[in-house]
Amino acid sequence: MQLVVDWDGTCTEVDGLHMLLEEFGDQAVYEHMEGVLGNGLTLHEVIAAEMGTIKLPLDFAVGWMREHVTMRPGFKELAESSSPIVL
């Protein structure tokens, strides 16, 4: 079986980018951007504006995400029963 899934907030219990933004980003920008998505800005533009407020070294951000982002129950078993697809 081949399985294609969205990652953040689908395979993970909570969207990791949102967690990172809530912890290290500018909350005012984050809240403002939620209101403009689809009303003049694309998803790419909103994410770029939100993530642009985070000023962390990449290795720190990756380590923080690995420590705090959790997978949905059963995801490991589901993934192990599938054939990998590399894009």
Side-chain angles (χ1 to χ4, degrees), residues 27-41 46 50:
Q27 194 64 35
V29 171
Y30 179 65
E31 291 171 7
H32 173 73
M33 287 297 143
E34 292 298 311
V36 298
L37 178 59
N39 295 316
L41 293 179
V46 168
E50 292 171 339

Side-chain angles (χ1 to χ4, degrees), residues 1-4 81-85:
M1 167 179 75
Q2 291 186 336
L3 177 67
V4 179
S81 71
S82 304
S83 300
I85 297 174

